[in-house]
Structures are given as structure tokens and as C-alpha cells.
Amino acid sequence: MSDAAARAGAGAPGSGSILLTLMKARTFIALIAVIVFFSLAVPSFLSTANLILMSKHVALNAFLAMGMTFVIITGGIDLSVGSIVGLCAMVAGYLVLNGIDLQIGYTVYFNVPEIILITLLVGILIGAINGLLITKLNVAPFIATLGTLYVARGAALLSSDGRTFPNLVGNPDLGNTGYGYLGAGRILGLPVSVWLLIVVALGAAYLAKYTPLGRHIFAVGGNERAARISGVRVNMVKMFVYMFSGFCAGIVGLIISSELMASHPATGETFELNAIAAAVLGGTSMSGGRGAIGGTIVGAFVIGILSDGLVMMGVSSFWQMVIKGLVIIVAVVVDQAQRKLQQRVTLMQMAKAG
Amino acid sequence: MSNISSDVILRLEDVSKVYAGTVAVKHATFDVRRGAVNVLVGENGAGKSTMMKMCAGVEKPTSGRILLDGEEVAFSSSGDAVAKGIGMVFQELNLFGNMSVAENIFATREITRFGKIDHAEQQRRAGAFLDRLQAGIRPDMMVEDLMIGQQQLVEIAKAVSLDARVLIMDEPTSALSAAEVEILFKVIADLKAQGVAIVYISHRLEELIRIGDYITVLRDGRITGQEEVRNVDTQWIVRQMIGSDAKDFAKPDGHEPGAEVFRAEEICLPRATGGLAVDHVSLTLRAGEILGIYGLMGAGRSELFDCIMGRHGHATGKIYLDGKQVHERDTTGRIRRGLALIPEDRQREGLVTILSVASNLTMSSLKKFARLFHIDGKAERDAVLGMVRELSIKVANPDNEVSSLSGGNQQKVVIGKALLTGPKVLLMDEPSRGIDVGAKADVFRTMRKLSREGLGILFATSDLDEVMALSDRIAVMSNGKLTGMFERAEATEAAIVSASAMGHGPAGKAGREAHV
């Protein structure tokens, strides 16, 4: 072995792997950085009230970003989630206010758990439509979900003729009160929506790691052909990820309308972009096959805290957009650098081993 | 330099190449002679490709120097090397599938008139090169519509069109049929006569002996032998490559095959362009039997396997496992019934290259390690480690990405994945393609062992020696039809070759264009 090689073999791995660890933890480091920065810049930043408020904001994006993460890992994209949020909010609002008129002189009013269930089913159904378009009719995911983006938003507007369903308190006589619990309720001091996020996130992370379905999601994104030949039911996997994404959007629609106690048909516009940003910031690769729920959650926190913090500092919303964009770009650049370094470190380990 | 004879056009002198932590080439000196085929051979990872990349300006040597016509040169890029007359046919196809053959041949040096690409002139000139290859490729065809062997020929046409003085070919025949190989050899002979220096890399030793003039053997980045080809034989080459005499094929162990385990009846697959890609093929396989399917490229072997695995919804025919008909139409169902395929194209169909060795191994069989929906991590881990040991897959840690392995070890991962599904019948499509001698021997040994354990094996190959040495019975396919079925004892090379040429026109010589 030449001197140069000996040096490369001896010196580099240490420094390389430290740098690599730093880069792997980049989203986490970014999270700590924004927290430290804003706690110094804004006095009330670390107050309990503010933290709880921010976590409620973050939760909304985090739900969508989790669904988006699975979709992106399979190599797809879901642009329709923002519209599904809007439509689900309208469905819930409509059911609380109007119930369903059976056309035979009776109107059925559902209680709140039933309304939640129906609304989530609507979200899942639209996800299933996305999935069918993509698997059975071979529409590219970008186009299929762009289509449902418009259709779902249009349906949301049609449902009320563009108006807001106000005052969703329900009627004690009809037994449909308590819709506000999702948005305003607390358990052990934490908002219900944050508890929900914890449950769904743990479930999703478990699914990704410890179930055949989760593994198959990664296989499909890494090499669809090979996955198919290996016996992975590719179409089923794709159906699942879009339905899960629709489910997450349904949750967000419920939470927002419950927080406001009103349903507005424009709810959720451009939410899909924030969700994609959080997933990418968390290390999900747009070309498929790579990503993690944990990373996405941290990514959602970085974006959420960044925008809330900037608002509290009084930075103009125009600058906020510029900053958010830069953060996303930097994240992806670092991601690429990490991948290169990773390959080099793997090579070194191989050289050491044999 | 005094000791360089006048016919050496390119010389790598004492070159080394170090990648982060790995030494790929160690103090190698390699002469490329004018008007001759300079053969370079070695196992996977021996450093052949790295050497050639240095010749072609893709990589720079870490130390040592490169002499062109006796003068030291430093290539800053592959374009630089091309400008100095060095062309290369890469092992991986570097073609644009979405462009025509002519556009590919003239990519980056388009012929223009008044600043606009002159397509007619490009097609005319491309046509001249393609005619020489006699492969039925028209310059206006889209590359993605060509078969992989034809694509390889386009790649070769592209390199020839450069008018290079030195032409490097990295495994040019790995995807070619016997007929196409003959064409290529004719082209090489022409180029040689024109004084072009050819550098030829291949795993197929007979080929090297046939067309080589000078041979250089690499092992672990070092040159272990340099000779004139007429002084050497395959035994010598193998000795230099792996250090000792290797037995190419595992010997049969004389076990008797059991009862019929698999039967296919009247399998048909229509071709998109009309006719049948698989034409009423019926065959049976017994437990513990190795049935070799020999055929040239395009004979329908891979398509037959695809039909058996349920990859084509519109295929017809019946298949039976253990005497019971298989009604499942999709791949997942058929794997569950006990069929497993090792596809021909490892990168595109065999592996998810960005995932780990472990994930790839268990991809087909996760259900087995799952209780309800929870994967038992320990059971999975044990299965992975067991398979790594059983197939002697060389990997430091199963969590490493599968792309970090050599070709032979990647192939073992694909085999391991199939075995973990617990198959009754294993379909292997060109199982030894593009892997080195040592890994080949491992794969063959594994096939013997599996058959001894009662597995039925169908394997497709276009290598005559391989099919003769490994099979208990030999089926021959040609033009989608089953044209011969021989017991090993009665099989002769002549009979197999003539069966493989049936339906290919008179005496079947180089007649593949008949159905292209």
C-alpha cells in the first residue's frame, strides 16, 4: 500500500464519520438552532403558552407531512392533501349543521364520533381515488393528484356555495354537541391534536420499520420492477400510501374546523407545499426509496417554529417566504453532500474490513 | 524511453489508483499495441475497469504516468482522451433511450448545417456504421425499443464512429447472442487491419483466446501475468486470475431426481409486434433435477420464465406444481405457491440497490417473519445471517447497501432472496452472467446443492459449456418454440446448436435478423 493510501485509510475515517454524524443529525441541529435563536430573540418564546400554541400549529403540517412522506418514498407525490383538508372540514361542518336529509321527511343527525368517522372515510376515499388513478389507469401521480386537488377544492366550495359553515356547536337536543373538543380539548395539559399527532406518528414509524407493508413501501420506491418480481403487491402498496395520506388530511380538516368551530371551503390551500417541504427537510428523497417519519416530524417542527418565530419577531411575511425557501434549498444541498460522504465512509469501512 | 517498442501506442507506466481508502490499481504497467487486440482479464474488482477508465481519461491515476506515442499525457476529461483518439465502449450502456440510434451515435458531436442539426446526414452516416454490424438496426429506431444486445451494438457503433486509434471495449459481448458476437469479431478484425489498437475486457475466456493477441491478467489491482495469447491456454489464465487451478463447474453428485414437481403446458405469449414470443411450450421438471434451457438471445427463454412467474397477464397455458394446477395469475401468488425467479438483469429487476443487503434478502419473504403484522426482528436477522453464511456472501455488515457489493455477491443476494421464500422450483435466468470465475463456481455449487436437497431448477443460458456441464436434461429453444429436449447422456454440442438454430433460416447461420 502506498503512503497516500495508508494515510487515507488511517486519518480520514475518524473525521469523516464525525462529520457524517453531524450531517445525519442536521435536521435536529437545525431544530435546536431555531429554538435557541428565537428564545434569545423573542422573550416570550419559551413560555408554556407559546410552546403549546406552536405545537398545535406544527401538528397540522406534521400530519400532512407524514402522509406525504410515505407517498414520496414510493416515488410518488400527493398534491391533493390541501384540498382534502378543505373538503373534509366542509363535510364535518355540513354534518354538524345539517345532518343528512333522507328525502322521506327525516333528517339524520350524527353524533360527533360518527361525524369524525365519516369525515375520515371521505379523506380515505379521495386517497383511494388517487390510488386507483395511479395504479389502474396509469396516470402520473403529479397529474392525478393535481386533478383531485381541483376536484376536491371545487366540491368543498360547492358544498356551501362558497360560504362558511359557522358556529359548529351542535344542538343538545340532537345529541351532536362537543365538536370543539378536538381543537380545544386538553389531556394532561397537552392539546388533543398534539396527542393525536403522537399516536399517529408512533403508528406510522412502527409501520415503516416493523411491518411487511412498511418495508414494501421502501422497496417499491427503490426499484418498482424488482419489487414486483419479488412478489411485492405494488398496486396495493401504492393504494395504501395515498389512502393514508388522505386519512391524515382528513384529520387535519377535522382539527382545523374544530379549532375555529367553523368550516371554510378555502381551508388548507397550499398546505401540500408545506407538507412536501417538511418531508424533504426531514431527509425524504424525492426520487423515492429513502425517508423516515422521525425526520419528517423534526422537519415539520423546524418549518413551524421558523414561521411562528419570525412572526413573533415581526419579520414581514414576504421575508418569511424567502427564508423558508432558502432553508429548504440548504437542507437538500446538505442532504446530497451527506450522501456523498456516506458513500466514501462505506468505502473506507470496506477497505478496512478486507 | 528505450524499452518501448514502436508498435506500442499507449502505455500506462507504474500507475496506481487510490480511491478513498481502497487501492484499486497497484503499480501496474500496461502496454497497448497498434493493430492488435490487447486483452485485459481479471475477476470482478481486480481493477480492470479502473485501468481502462484511466486510459479513457475518466479517472486520473494517483501516481505513475500515461504515455501516448511515447510522450507523457494527462487527460483532463474523457472528451480530452477522445480528441487524442481514444474511444471506449462502457460496460454499462451509456445510451439515451428516448433518442434515435443516429442521435445517440452523434450525441455531443452533432452534425450541423447552418447551426441546425442535419438529421438526414446523421442518419446516412449512422446507417453506414450500422450496415457493417448487420444487426437489422435502422438509424431512425428509438434506442429504448431495441433489445439489450442490439443496444450494445449501437454502443459499439458509436465508439467505432469516433475513428479512434485506441478503442477500449469493456465486456462488449456480455449481452450479445452468438451470432452478434460473430459480427462483432468481424468488426474487430477490420479495425485491427486498419491499425487500430483494441483493448478488450471480458469474462469469457474462450473468447479471449480466440481473438486476443496479447493478454494481461490482473489480480487485486496487480498485474500477475503478461503474455502473447498464442502461448497461453485457459488453464493458465485462470491460474493467474485466482492463483490456482479452478474447477469451473461443480461435478454432478449422482443423486436420482424424484417425482415430477413442475409441469408447464402449452405456454403461449403473444408478441406486441405480432407472432408469438413463446410458442406453445410444454415441459416437465422433476424434484432434484436441473433442466437447462439453451437458446440464443431472443429465443424466448426469459419470456417463458416471465410467463411462468405470472408477469404477463395476457399469456396463456397452464402450469402445475406437484400435480396441482396453479390458478394464481400474479407474481405474488405464484411465489407463495413455490415458484421463484432469479432474473437476468440484476440491477433493474433483481435488486433494490439503495436498500441494504438484509432488506433485499428478506424482501420476498417478510410475511414469514411476521406474526400478524409485526416483523420478528430476531427471526429476520437470523435468516439473513444464515443465508449470508450459506451462500458465502462477502459483506462486512448486512446493513450495508447492496450496491457496495461486487457483481458476484450481488447475484448471491438475489439467489438468497429467492431461497428465503422456500421455493419448490427455482427459475434462474442466466445465473452466471457478468460475474467472476470464483463467484460463478459458487453459484454452480449452490445449484448442485439445492438440487440435491430436492429443489427443481430450470436455468436458462446462452453458454453451451454451462448447459452441458450443469444440466440433467437440456431443453433447447429457438424463436419461441421448444426445438429440442435431450437427456444429458445423449446430448451433443452439435445437436444442441442445430436445434437452437431451427426456424432461423438456412442452417441458422447468423440468421437472427430474420425475426428482428
Side-chain angles (χ1 to χ4, degrees), chain B residues 170-231:
Chain B
D170 194 352
E171 301 250 9
T173 57
S174 60
L176 299 188
S177 69
E180 286 164 340
V181 169
E182 290 306 317
I183 298 169
L184 174 65
F185 284 1
K186 248 188 282 171
V187 172
I188 289 178
D190 282 355
L191 291 170
K192 222 168 96 171
Q194 291 162 23
V196 176
I198 312 265
V199 180
Y200 191 94
I201 302 176
S202 177
H203 277 124
R204 300 190 183 170
L205 303 186
E206 332 74 71
E207 234 174 70
L208 303 180
I209 299 267
R210 224 188 102 189
I211 66 154
D213 296 306
Y214 300 93
I215 184 164
T216 303
V217 188
L218 270 174
R219 181 167 79 227
D220 289 335
R222 277 178 216 288
I223 287 176
T224 52
Q226 271 173 318
E227 261 298 344
E228 284 190 51
V229 170
R230 59 181 161 181
N231 299 333

Coordinates of all heavy atoms in Angstrom, one line a residue, chain B residues 170-231:
Chain B
D170 N -15.2 -2.7 -22.9 CA -15.4 -3.3 -21.6 C -16.5 -4.3 -21.7 O -17.7 -3.9 -21.7 CB -15.6 -2.2 -20.5 CG -15.4 -2.7 -19.1 OD1 -15.3 -3.9 -19.0 OD2 -15.5 -1.9 -18.2
E171 N -16.3 -5.6 -21.7 CA -17.3 -6.6 -21.7 C -18.3 -6.3 -22.9 O -19.5 -6.3 -22.6 CB -18.1 -6.7 -20.4 CG -17.2 -7.0 -19.2 CD -17.5 -8.3 -18.7 OE1 -18.2 -9.1 -19.3 OE2 -16.9 -8.6 -17.6
P172 N -17.8 -6.2 -24.1 CA -18.8 -5.9 -25.1 C -19.8 -7.0 -25.5 O -20.8 -6.8 -26.0 CB -17.9 -5.6 -26.3 CG -16.7 -6.3 -26.1 CD -16.5 -6.4 -24.6
T173 N -19.4 -8.2 -25.1 CA -20.2 -9.4 -25.6 C -21.2 -9.8 -24.5 O -21.9 -10.8 -24.7 CB -19.4 -10.6 -26.0 OG1 -18.5 -10.9 -24.9 CG2 -18.6 -10.2 -27.2
S174 N -21.2 -9.2 -23.3 CA -22.0 -9.7 -22.2 C -23.5 -9.9 -22.6 O -24.2 -10.7 -22.0 CB -21.8 -8.9 -21.0 OG -22.2 -7.6 -21.2
A175 N -24.0 -9.1 -23.5 CA -25.4 -9.2 -23.8 C -25.7 -9.6 -25.2 O -26.8 -9.6 -25.7 CB -26.1 -7.8 -23.6
L176 N -24.6 -10.1 -25.9 CA -24.8 -10.4 -27.3 C -25.1 -11.9 -27.5 O -24.6 -12.8 -26.7 CB -23.5 -10.1 -28.1 CG -23.1 -8.6 -28.1 CD1 -22.0 -8.4 -29.0 CD2 -24.3 -7.7 -28.5
S177 N -25.8 -12.2 -28.5 CA -26.0 -13.6 -28.9 C -24.8 -14.1 -29.7 O -24.0 -13.3 -30.1 CB -27.3 -13.8 -29.8 OG -27.0 -13.2 -31.0
A178 N -24.8 -15.4 -29.9 CA -23.6 -16.0 -30.6 C -23.4 -15.4 -31.9 O -22.3 -15.0 -32.4 CB -23.8 -17.5 -30.7
A179 N -24.6 -15.1 -32.6 CA -24.5 -14.5 -34.0 C -23.9 -13.1 -33.9 O -23.1 -12.7 -34.7 CB -25.9 -14.6 -34.6
E180 N -24.4 -12.4 -32.9 CA -24.0 -11.0 -32.8 C -22.5 -10.9 -32.4 O -21.8 -10.0 -32.8 CB -24.8 -10.3 -31.7 CG -26.2 -9.9 -32.2 CD -27.2 -9.6 -31.1 OE1 -26.9 -9.9 -29.9 OE2 -28.2 -9.0 -31.4
V181 N -22.0 -11.9 -31.6 CA -20.6 -12.0 -31.2 C -19.8 -12.1 -32.5 O -18.7 -11.5 -32.7 CB -20.4 -13.1 -30.2 CG1 -18.9 -13.3 -30.1 CG2 -21.0 -12.8 -28.9
E182 N -20.3 -13.0 -33.4 CA -19.5 -13.2 -34.7 C -19.3 -11.9 -35.4 O -18.3 -11.6 -35.9 CB -20.2 -14.2 -35.5 CG -20.2 -15.7 -35.0 CD -18.8 -16.1 -34.7 OE1 -17.9 -15.8 -35.5 OE2 -18.5 -16.7 -33.6
I183 N -20.5 -11.1 -35.5 CA -20.4 -9.9 -36.2 C -19.4 -8.9 -35.6 O -18.6 -8.3 -36.2 CB -21.8 -9.2 -36.2 CG1 -22.8 -10.1 -36.9 CG2 -21.7 -7.8 -36.8 CD1 -24.2 -9.6 -36.7
L184 N -19.5 -8.9 -34.2 CA -18.5 -8.0 -33.5 C -17.1 -8.4 -33.8 O -16.2 -7.5 -34.0 CB -18.8 -8.1 -32.0 CG -17.8 -7.3 -31.1 CD1 -17.9 -5.8 -31.4 CD2 -18.0 -7.6 -29.7
F185 N -16.8 -9.7 -33.8 CA -15.4 -10.2 -34.1 C -15.0 -9.8 -35.5 O -13.8 -9.4 -35.7 CB -15.3 -11.7 -33.9 CG -15.4 -12.1 -32.4 CD1 -15.5 -11.1 -31.4 CD2 -15.2 -13.4 -32.0 CE1 -15.5 -11.4 -30.1 CE2 -15.2 -13.7 -30.7 CZ -15.4 -12.8 -29.7
K186 N -15.9 -9.8 -36.4 CA -15.6 -9.4 -37.8 C -15.2 -7.9 -37.8 O -14.2 -7.5 -38.4 CB -16.7 -9.6 -38.7 CG -16.4 -10.7 -39.7 CD -17.5 -10.8 -40.8 CE -18.7 -11.5 -40.3 NZ -19.9 -11.4 -41.2
V187 N -16.0 -7.1 -37.0 CA -15.7 -5.7 -37.0 C -14.3 -5.4 -36.3 O -13.5 -4.6 -36.8 CB -16.8 -4.9 -36.1 CG1 -16.4 -3.5 -35.9 CG2 -18.1 -5.0 -36.9
I188 N -14.1 -6.2 -35.3 CA -12.8 -6.1 -34.6 C -11.6 -6.4 -35.5 O -10.6 -5.7 -35.6 CB -12.7 -6.9 -33.3 CG1 -13.7 -6.4 -32.3 CG2 -11.3 -7.1 -32.8 CD1 -13.7 -7.2 -31.0
A189 N -11.8 -7.5 -36.3 CA -10.8 -7.9 -37.3 C -10.5 -6.7 -38.3 O -9.4 -6.4 -38.6 CB -11.2 -9.1 -38.0
D190 N -11.6 -6.1 -38.8 CA -11.5 -5.0 -39.7 C -10.6 -3.9 -39.1 O -9.7 -3.3 -39.7 CB -12.8 -4.4 -40.0 CG -13.6 -5.2 -41.0 OD1 -13.0 -6.2 -41.5 OD2 -14.8 -4.9 -41.3
L191 N -11.0 -3.5 -37.9 CA -10.4 -2.4 -37.2 C -8.9 -2.7 -37.0 O -8.0 -1.8 -37.2 CB -11.0 -2.1 -35.8 CG -12.4 -1.6 -35.9 CD1 -13.1 -1.6 -34.5 CD2 -12.4 -0.2 -36.4
K192 N -8.6 -3.9 -36.6 CA -7.2 -4.4 -36.4 C -6.4 -4.2 -37.7 O -5.3 -3.6 -37.7 CB -7.3 -5.9 -36.0 CG -6.3 -6.2 -34.9 CD -6.6 -7.6 -34.4 CE -5.7 -8.6 -35.1 NZ -5.9 -10.0 -34.5
A193 N -7.0 -4.6 -38.8 CA -6.4 -4.5 -40.1 C -6.1 -3.0 -40.4 O -5.1 -2.7 -41.1 CB -7.2 -5.1 -41.2
Q194 N -6.9 -2.1 -39.9 CA -6.7 -0.7 -40.1 C -5.7 -0.1 -39.2 O -5.4 1.1 -39.2 CB -8.0 0.1 -40.0 CG -9.0 -0.1 -41.0 CD -10.4 0.3 -40.6 OE1 -10.6 1.1 -39.7 NE2 -11.4 -0.3 -41.2
G195 N -5.1 -0.9 -38.3 CA -4.1 -0.5 -37.4 C -4.6 0.1 -36.1 O -3.9 0.7 -35.3
V196 N -5.9 -0.1 -35.8 CA -6.4 0.4 -34.5 C -6.0 -0.6 -33.4 O -5.9 -1.8 -33.6 CB -8.0 0.4 -34.6 CG1 -8.6 0.8 -33.3 CG2 -8.5 1.3 -35.7
A197 N -5.7 0.0 -32.3 CA -5.3 -0.8 -31.1 C -6.6 -1.0 -30.3 O -7.3 -0.1 -30.0 CB -4.3 -0.1 -30.3
I198 N -6.9 -2.3 -30.1 CA -8.1 -2.7 -29.4 C -7.7 -3.1 -28.0 O -6.8 -3.9 -27.8 CB -8.9 -3.8 -30.1 CG1 -9.0 -3.6 -31.6 CG2 -10.2 -4.1 -29.4 CD1 -10.3 -3.0 -32.0
V199 N -8.4 -2.6 -27.0 CA -8.3 -3.1 -25.6 C -9.6 -3.8 -25.3 O -10.6 -3.2 -25.4 CB -8.0 -2.0 -24.6 CG1 -7.8 -2.6 -23.2 CG2 -6.8 -1.2 -25.0
Y200 N -9.5 -5.1 -25.0 CA -10.6 -5.9 -24.9 C -10.7 -6.6 -23.5 O -9.8 -7.2 -23.1 CB -10.5 -7.0 -26.0 CG -11.8 -7.8 -26.2 CD1 -12.7 -7.4 -27.2 CD2 -12.1 -8.9 -25.4 CE1 -13.9 -8.1 -27.4 CE2 -13.3 -9.6 -25.7 CZ -14.1 -9.2 -26.6 OH -15.3 -9.9 -26.9
I201 N -11.8 -6.3 -22.8 CA -12.0 -6.9 -21.5 C -13.2 -7.8 -21.6 O -14.2 -7.5 -22.1 CB -12.4 -5.8 -20.5 CG1 -11.3 -4.7 -20.4 CG2 -12.6 -6.3 -19.1 CD1 -11.5 -3.6 -19.5
S202 N -13.0 -9.0 -21.0 CA -14.2 -9.9 -21.0 C -14.0 -11.0 -19.9 O -12.9 -11.2 -19.5 CB -14.3 -10.6 -22.3 OG -15.4 -11.6 -22.3
H203 N -15.1 -11.6 -19.5 CA -15.0 -12.7 -18.6 C -15.0 -14.0 -19.3 O -14.7 -15.0 -18.7 CB -16.3 -12.7 -17.7 CG -16.2 -11.8 -16.5 ND1 -17.1 -10.8 -16.3 CD2 -15.2 -11.7 -15.6 CE1 -16.7 -10.2 -15.2 NE2 -15.6 -10.7 -14.7
R204 N -15.3 -14.0 -20.6 CA -15.4 -15.2 -21.3 C -14.1 -15.6 -21.9 O -13.6 -15.1 -22.9 CB -16.4 -15.1 -22.5 CG -17.8 -14.7 -22.0 CD -18.8 -14.8 -23.1 NE -20.1 -14.4 -22.7 CZ -21.1 -14.2 -23.5 NH1 -21.0 -14.3 -24.8 NH2 -22.3 -13.8 -23.0
L205 N -13.5 -16.6 -21.3 CA -12.1 -16.9 -21.5 C -11.9 -17.4 -23.0 O -10.9 -17.1 -23.6 CB -11.5 -17.9 -20.5 CG -11.7 -17.5 -19.1 CD1 -11.0 -18.5 -18.1 CD2 -11.0 -16.1 -18.9
E206 N -12.8 -18.3 -23.4 CA -12.7 -18.8 -24.8 C -12.6 -17.7 -25.8 O -11.8 -17.8 -26.8 CB -13.8 -19.7 -25.2 CG -14.6 -20.4 -24.2 CD -15.5 -19.5 -23.4 OE1 -16.5 -19.0 -23.9 OE2 -15.2 -19.2 -22.2
E207 N -13.4 -16.7 -25.6 CA -13.4 -15.5 -26.4 C -12.1 -14.9 -26.5 O -11.6 -14.5 -27.6 CB -14.4 -14.5 -25.8 CG -15.5 -14.1 -26.7 CD -16.5 -13.2 -25.9 OE1 -16.1 -12.1 -25.5 OE2 -17.6 -13.7 -25.7
L208 N -11.5 -14.7 -25.3 CA -10.2 -14.0 -25.3 C -9.1 -14.8 -26.0 O -8.3 -14.2 -26.8 CB -9.7 -13.9 -23.8 CG -10.7 -13.2 -22.9 CD1 -10.2 -13.1 -21.5 CD2 -11.0 -11.8 -23.4
I209 N -9.1 -16.1 -25.8 CA -8.2 -16.9 -26.5 C -8.4 -16.8 -28.0 O -7.4 -16.8 -28.8 CB -8.3 -18.4 -26.1 CG1 -8.1 -18.5 -24.6 CG2 -7.5 -19.3 -26.9 CD1 -6.7 -18.8 -24.2
R210 N -9.6 -16.7 -28.4 CA -9.9 -16.7 -29.9 C -9.5 -15.4 -30.5 O -8.9 -15.4 -31.6 CB -11.4 -16.8 -30.1 CG -11.8 -17.8 -31.2 CD -13.2 -17.8 -31.5 NE -13.5 -17.0 -32.7 CZ -14.7 -16.7 -33.1 NH1 -15.7 -17.0 -32.4 NH2 -14.9 -16.0 -34.2
I211 N -9.8 -14.3 -29.9 CA -9.5 -13.0 -30.7 C -8.3 -12.2 -30.1 O -7.9 -11.3 -30.8 CB -10.7 -12.1 -30.7 CG1 -11.0 -11.6 -29.3 CG2 -11.9 -12.8 -31.4 CD1 -11.7 -10.3 -29.4
G212 N -7.7 -12.6 -29.0 CA -6.7 -11.8 -28.4 C -5.3 -12.0 -29.0 O -5.1 -13.1 -29.6
D213 N -4.5 -11.0 -29.0 CA -3.1 -11.1 -29.4 C -2.2 -11.1 -28.2 O -1.2 -11.8 -28.1 CB -2.8 -10.0 -30.4 CG -3.6 -10.1 -31.7 OD1 -3.6 -11.2 -32.3 OD2 -4.2 -9.1 -32.0
Y214 N -2.5 -10.1 -27.3 CA -1.7 -10.0 -26.1 C -2.6 -10.1 -24.9 O -3.7 -9.5 -25.0 CB -0.9 -8.7 -26.1 CG 0.1 -8.6 -27.2 CD1 -0.3 -7.9 -28.4 CD2 1.4 -9.1 -27.1 CE1 0.5 -7.8 -29.5 CE2 2.2 -9.0 -28.2 CZ 1.8 -8.3 -29.4 OH 2.7 -8.2 -30.4
I215 N -2.2 -10.7 -23.8 CA -3.1 -10.8 -22.7 C -2.4 -10.3 -21.4 O -1.2 -10.5 -21.2 CB -3.6 -12.3 -22.5 CG1 -4.6 -12.3 -21.4 CG2 -2.4 -13.2 -22.2 CD1 -5.4 -13.6 -21.4
T216 N -3.1 -9.6 -20.6 CA -2.6 -9.1 -19.4 C -3.6 -9.5 -18.3 O -4.8 -9.3 -18.5 CB -2.5 -7.6 -19.4 OG1 -1.7 -7.2 -20.5 CG2 -1.9 -7.0 -18.1
V217 N -3.2 -10.1 -17.2 CA -4.1 -10.6 -16.2 C -3.9 -9.8 -14.9 O -2.7 -9.5 -14.5 CB -3.8 -12.1 -15.8 CG1 -4.9 -12.6 -14.9 CG2 -3.8 -12.9 -17.1
L218 N -5.0 -9.3 -14.4 CA -5.0 -8.5 -13.1 C -5.5 -9.3 -12.0 O -6.5 -10.1 -12.2 CB -5.8 -7.3 -13.3 CG -5.3 -6.0 -13.9 CD1 -6.4 -5.0 -14.1 CD2 -4.2 -5.5 -13.0
R219 N -4.9 -9.2 -10.8 CA -5.5 -9.8 -9.6 C -5.3 -8.8 -8.5 O -4.2 -8.3 -8.2 CB -4.8 -11.1 -9.3 CG -5.5 -11.8 -8.1 CD -5.1 -13.2 -7.9 NE -3.7 -13.4 -7.3 CZ -2.8 -14.2 -7.8 NH1 -3.1 -14.9 -8.9 NH2 -1.7 -14.3 -7.3
D220 N -6.4 -8.4 -7.8 CA -6.3 -7.4 -6.7 C -5.5 -6.2 -7.1 O -4.7 -5.7 -6.3 CB -5.6 -8.1 -5.5 CG -6.6 -9.1 -4.9 OD1 -7.8 -9.0 -5.1 OD2 -6.1 -10.1 -4.2
G221 N -5.7 -5.7 -8.3 CA -5.1 -4.4 -8.6 C -3.6 -4.6 -9.1 O -3.0 -3.6 -9.5
R222 N -3.1 -5.8 -9.0 CA -1.7 -6.0 -9.5 C -1.7 -6.8 -10.8 O -2.6 -7.7 -11.0 CB -0.9 -6.9 -8.5 CG -0.3 -6.1 -7.4 CD 0.4 -7.0 -6.4 NE 0.2 -6.6 -5.1 CZ 0.8 -5.5 -4.6 NH1 1.7 -4.8 -5.4 NH2 0.6 -5.1 -3.4
I223 N -0.7 -6.6 -11.6 CA -0.6 -7.4 -12.8 C 0.1 -8.7 -12.5 O 1.2 -8.7 -12.0 CB 0.1 -6.6 -13.9 CG1 -0.9 -5.5 -14.4 CG2 0.5 -7.5 -15.1 CD1 -0.3 -4.6 -15.5
T224 N -0.6 -9.8 -12.8 CA 0.0 -11.1 -12.4 C 0.5 -11.9 -13.6 O 1.2 -12.9 -13.4 CB -1.0 -12.0 -11.6 OG1 -2.2 -12.1 -12.4 CG2 -1.3 -11.4 -10.3
G225 N 0.2 -11.4 -14.8 CA 0.8 -12.2 -15.9 C 0.6 -11.3 -17.2 O -0.4 -10.6 -17.4
Q226 N 1.6 -11.4 -18.1 CA 1.5 -10.7 -19.4 C 2.2 -11.7 -20.4 O 3.3 -12.1 -20.2 CB 2.3 -9.4 -19.3 CG 1.4 -8.2 -18.9 CD 2.1 -6.9 -18.7 OE1 3.2 -6.9 -18.2 NE2 1.5 -5.8 -19.2
E227 N 1.4 -12.0 -21.4 CA 1.9 -13.0 -22.4 C 1.3 -12.7 -23.7 O 0.4 -11.9 -23.9 CB 1.4 -14.4 -21.9 CG 2.5 -15.2 -21.2 CD 3.7 -15.5 -22.0 OE1 3.7 -15.4 -23.3 OE2 4.7 -15.9 -21.4
E228 N 1.9 -13.3 -24.8 CA 1.2 -13.4 -26.0 C 0.2 -14.5 -26.0 O 0.4 -15.5 -25.4 CB 2.2 -13.7 -27.2 CG 3.0 -12.4 -27.5 CD 3.8 -12.7 -28.8 OE1 3.2 -13.1 -29.8 OE2 5.0 -12.5 -28.7
V229 N -1.0 -14.2 -26.5 CA -2.1 -15.1 -26.3 C -1.8 -16.5 -26.9 O -2.1 -17.5 -26.4 CB -3.4 -14.6 -27.0 CG1 -4.5 -15.6 -27.0 CG2 -3.9 -13.4 -26.2
R230 N -1.0 -16.6 -28.0 CA -0.8 -17.9 -28.6 C 0.1 -18.8 -27.7 O 0.1 -20.0 -27.9 CB -0.1 -17.7 -30.0 CG 1.3 -17.0 -29.8 CD 2.0 -16.8 -31.1 NE 2.9 -15.8 -30.9 CZ 3.7 -15.3 -31.8 NH1 3.7 -15.8 -33.0 NH2 4.6 -14.4 -31.6
N231 N 0.7 -18.2 -26.7 CA 1.5 -19.0 -25.8 C 0.7 -19.5 -24.5 O 1.3 -20.2 -23.7 CB 2.7 -18.2 -25.2 CG 3.6 -17.8 -26.3 OD1 3.6 -18.5 -27.4 ND2 4.3 -16.7 -26.2

